[in-house]
Amino acid sequence: MEPIELKHPLLEHKLSILRNKKTGTKEFRELISEVTLFLCYEVMKDAKLHEVEVETPIKKMKAQMIDENNYIFVPILRAGTGMIDGIVKMIPNAKIGHIGLYRDEETVKPVRYYYKMPSGIESKEIIIIDPMLATGGSGIDAITLLKEDGAKNIKFLSIIAAPEGLKKMQEVHPDVQIYCAAIDEGLNEASYIVPGLGDAGDRIFGTK
Ligand code: PRP
Ligand code: URA
């Protein structure tokens, strides 16, 4: 599946502030959350609706609602957790699973350290969230873990993606639809996204 890159002037504007190295922790966190709202809006575009009866102050009507319990959002620790806030603003009853992965600085390969999912991942829609898709290693590993656990319907939400990672992810997991707010030039020798926004985890948590 071809990745979906969102295009919107407001999103472009917010990404520019997010990328700026002078943007501080508070604003960076807020922007991650705001950009996630856009992505969440897009990923829910094909959500199933069911009919309910609602009484407005004027009359009863048939209205449409989403089953919020049908969605499990899975942040990849740590940086993915910075996106939870944006997700639960839109879908307050969404279930949240966690996958702990970090990139080994030497090998640049993902190392697993935590895995905890809500029940029912076989039948629910799983949406992995991580602001950065660089080599694709973490995303690929997270999807593999979830599939091994029975997940069948998986989507991947990232803010900035590198073409190299997107290609690899499509090769290994062609069934997973990827959504992002920007596809950048590529990776540098340290496998950071160029121009990117630096280390998302460090900027969200103020660790550097
Ligand atoms: C970052 C990012 C992704 C991963 C992307 O996390 O949040 O999980 O790198 O790189 P990849 O596509 O090459 O795997 P990092 O490993 O820096 O951990 P952190 O979230 O704890 O900072
Ligand atoms: N992880 C990040 O946080 N930033 C990158 O550019 C690549 C991986």
Side-chain angles (χ1 to χ4, degrees):
M1 256 186 259
E2 283 303 307
I4 296 175
E5 183 187 17
L6 271 65
K7 290 274 174 215
H8 192 287
L10 200 51
L11 187 57
E12 203 70 48
H13 170 78
K14 289 189 183 290
L15 274 179
S16 302
I17 311 171
L18 196 63
R19 289 178 187 278
N20 190 333
K21 67 177 185 184
K22 292 187 182 142
T23 299
T25 307
K26 176 179 183 287
E27 200 179 2
F28 192 88
R29 282 181 187 147
E30 288 166 356
L31 285 159
I32 289 279
S33 172
E34 288 169 8
V35 170
T36 304
L37 288 179
F38 280 89
L39 290 163
C40 184
Y41 181 80
E42 186 65 25
V43 85
M44 296 301 287
K45 221 171 180 171
D46 57 3
K48 278 199 205 81
L49 292 165
H50 63 272
E51 198 170 271
V52 291
E53 191 174 82
V54 168
E55 192 169 357
T56 79
I58 312 298
K59 68 174 285 225
K60 281 187 181 163
M61 66 172 284
K62 301 258 184 270
Q64 303 286 329
M65 289 187 79
I66 286 168
D67 180 5
E68 293 185 35
N69 288 308
N70 196 33
Y71 298 90
I72 300 178
F73 286 84
V74 181
I76 301 181
L77 305 177
R78 272 172 321 163
T81 61
M83 296 171 76
I84 297 177
D85 180 52
I87 298 291
V88 298
K89 268 189 193 134
M90 287 289 254
I91 312 173
N93 288 304
K95 307 277 179 261
I96 312 285
H98 290 84
I99 293 184
L101 292 174
Y102 68 88
R103 283 201 316 180
D104 183 287
E105 303 248 326
E106 306 248 301
T107 63
V108 195
K109 294 249 181 314
V111 180
R112 305 166 192 181
Y113 63 90
Y114 191 75
Y115 183 86
K116 181 88 180 164
M117 287 303 131
S119 59
I121 74 162
E122 312 80 14
S123 56
K124 294 189 178 176
E125 190 158 314
I126 315 292
I127 301 141
I128 301 174
I129 52 177
D130 191 327
M132 310 304 276
L133 196 172
T135 65
S138 310
I140 289 169
D141 212 45
I143 297 167
T144 304
L145 274 177
L146 285 160
K147 284 185 176 171
E148 282 168 5
D149 211 7
K152 290 176 188 69
N153 189 352
I154 305 176
K155 291 178 175 168
F156 193 94
L157 277 195
S158 66
I159 294 180
I160 300 186
E164 297 91 324
L166 286 172
K167 187 164 174 280
K168 207 158 132 201
M169 196 104 123
Q170 284 171 283
E171 281 163 11
V172 183
H173 296 296
D175 55 310
V176 174
Q177 179 67 65
I178 305 166
Y179 297 79
C180 61
I183 300 175
D184 274 10
E185 288 165 26
L187 300 173
N188 67 12
E189 57 294 338
S191 294
Y192 273 86
I193 301 177
V194 180
L197 49 70
D199 190 304
D202 282 340
R203 294 193 69 186
I204 293 168
F205 298 107
T207 38
K208 250 184 204 152

